Amino acid sequence: MSSTYGDKLKISVFGESHGNGIGVVIDGLPSGISIDLDRVLVQMARRAPGKDKTATPRKESDLPKILSGMVENELTGAPLCAVIENTNTRSGDYGNLLERPRPGHSDYAAFVKYGGANDIRGGGHFSGRLTAPIVFAGAVCRQILEKQGIKIAAHIQSIGSVSDKKFNPVDIDDTLIERLNASSFSLIDTGVEEAMRSEVEQARLALDSVGGVIECAVTGVKPGFGGPMFDGVEGVIAKAVFGIPAVKGVEFGAGFEAASMRGSQNNDEFRVKNGRVVTETNNCGGILGGITDGMPIIFRAAVKPTPSIAQKQKTVNLTTMQNDELEIKGRHDPCIVPRAVPVIEAAAAIALMNIL
């Protein structure tokens, strides 16, 4: 089992949902850069569980303990290692899942691959809890990127049938980025929050869950980064984003909508503005031929509904090889989309560190 990403900057995520702790090792960080740990904790808090009715009631402080790579808040250049303790586990809730896999979860596939040795408690290493170390790594990376004028922000584009406004793809204001970066329910149009929360609550009361879409934007990236074919910026970002549990789709710019356009509609026409080349539109999402063109990088990630729901579901008994039913216990998010926003931002920051 390998949970490592990157080459120029490499992260290795370790731990299980109900083990003693989870964490990350980051190799390749530059030395001599000061990191504001208070700002790191803001990002950790945005993802942390137990603070909102849209999330699991499991409460974890998610305070990272830095073991190496930083002295007095300054990066030393050595591998940066951080551990986050698991303090609120109820492993007994998962005792029936090793032989009766949850529909929509990794249980069955992991059982086959690892011969039943996988840690089933809370999803083990396949749990969304493992995104906390990703947020830590991304929070460090985004501070380094900001020193180069690069900023990242994401928002909930939709939950169920309720949608937010999309980013202006050619002009994203820094004040909007700052507001989204500090929000635990990140929206461009805050007026749709109540309707989104209602969508989640309806799913929760029905013993069900609901998914959505997260839109992410990166500003300040200069043209010329990336490469064609397999080194393209889309591929590097998508690999990081698909490492997040529950992400089932990624699109850049106009994405799948481009398939229904004509070339005259989809092409982003060039012009000169204040001495630099820009485009009138941004259907390409800031990337042409796998290379950045200097416009904002825009992508969206589709997040599936949480598979662990309280309704009875059909499954199989892997011991008897008979059809069976499953009623899931435990504490689960009726919607993981709000908590996934800072995770998407973190994945983008980690990917950009490799690209730049």
Side-chain angles (χ1 to χ4, degrees):
M1 185 183 292
S2 175
S3 295
T4 300
Y5 169 86
D7 48 12
K8 300 176 182 67
L9 179 103
K10 183 181 292 185
I11 70 164
S12 296
V13 177
F14 60 86
E16 292 86 24
S17 177
H18 284 213
N20 291 329
I22 54 178
V24 63
V25 178
I26 313 170
D27 289 293
L29 288 169
S31 60
I33 294 182
S34 294
I35 300 297
D36 185 338
L37 291 179
D38 287 337
R39 292 183 60 203
V40 171
L41 294 180
V42 168
Q43 300 309 315
M44 300 298 295
R46 292 173 69 205
R47 193 222 69 94
K51 299 180 179 179
D52 194 287
K53 282 188 71 174
T54 62
T56 170
R58 175 180 176 177
K59 292 186 178 181
E60 295 282 1
S61 61
D62 280 1
L63 294 176
K65 181 179 180 181
I66 297 173
L67 303 185
S68 66
M70 187 181 292
V71 175
E72 295 181 352
N73 295 356
E74 186 174 272
L75 297 176
T76 66
L80 178 62
C81 178
V83 174
I84 301 164
E85 290 186 21
N86 292 326
T87 60
N88 187 5
T89 60
R90 292 199 325 218
S91 300
D93 291 339
Y94 300 87
N96 63 338
L97 300 182
L98 190 57
E99 63 179 23
R100 288 187 288 173
R102 288 169 289 182
H105 212 287
S106 62
D107 298 345
Y108 172 67
F111 176 88
V112 174
K113 182 172 180 64
Y114 301 109
N118 53 299
D119 185 353
I120 203 70
R121 302 168 302 167
H125 191 68
F126 294 88
S127 170
R129 175 121 185 86
L130 274 294
T131 60
I134 294 174
V135 171
F136 172 83
V140 171
C141 290
R142 68 197 299 169
Q143 290 191 36
I144 298 171
L145 292 168
E146 285 173 6
K147 296 180 188 300
Q148 302 178 45
I150 296 166
K151 297 184 178 181
I152 302 169
H155 71 108
I156 306 166
Q157 183 183 306
S158 67
I159 288 178
S161 61
V162 183
S163 297
D164 186 17
K165 295 177 181 177
K166 290 184 178 180
F167 282 117
N168 179 335
V170 298
D171 186 15
I172 302 170
D173 192 79
D174 283 351
T175 57
L176 174 60
I177 292 175
E178 291 169 8
R179 177 169 68 79
L180 294 175
N181 285 172
S183 174
S184 59
F185 203 97
S186 303
L187 293 168
I188 294 175
D189 178 8
T190 57
V192 301
E193 179 174 347
E194 185 177 344
M196 284 188 176
R197 288 187 177 277
S198 176
E199 193 92 350
V200 177
E201 182 65 5
Q202 289 175 43
R204 187 185 71 83
L205 293 174
L207 307 182
D208 214 333
S209 62
V210 64
V213 175
I214 295 169
E215 185 179 46
C216 186
V218 184
T219 63
V221 179
K222 295 179 180 178
F225 289 101
M229 302 293 289
F230 307 114
D231 292 322
V233 172
E234 294 105 326
V236 176
I237 293 176
K239 183 176 181 179
V241 174
F242 275 124
I244 300 168
V247 170
K248 299 301 290 183
V250 177
E251 66 173 10
F252 290 81
F256 282 92
E257 288 185 14
S260 61
M261 296 180 182
R262 293 193 173 186
S264 57
Q265 298 171 309
N266 184 60
N267 291 346
D268 302 308
E269 296 184 327
F270 294 105
R271 64 185 178 91
V272 175
K273 180 180 180 182
N274 298 326
R276 60 183 287 260
V277 176
V278 298
T279 56
E280 294 278 4
T281 54
N282 192 13
N283 291 317
C284 69
I287 305 162
L288 290 167
I291 301 169
T292 58
D293 68 359
M295 298 299 288
I297 296 173
I298 306 284
F299 70 90
R300 286 169 290 280
V303 180
K304 71 177 184 180
T306 315
S308 294
I309 59 175
Q311 292 183 20
K312 281 188 177 181
Q313 299 177 84
K314 294 179 181 179
T315 186
V316 295
N317 188 307
L318 296 173
T319 301
T320 65
M321 290 304 292
Q322 299 292 318
N323 293 328
D324 208 336
E325 280 191 338
L326 176 66
E327 190 170 356
I328 298 171
K329 299 178 182 179
R331 299 161 292 176
H332 307 284
D333 300 72
C335 180
I336 63 171
V337 176
R339 292 177 57 210
V341 170
V343 188
I344 296 292
E345 294 171 351
I350 294 164
L352 285 164
M353 286 288 287
N354 276 276
I355 292 166
L356 301 178

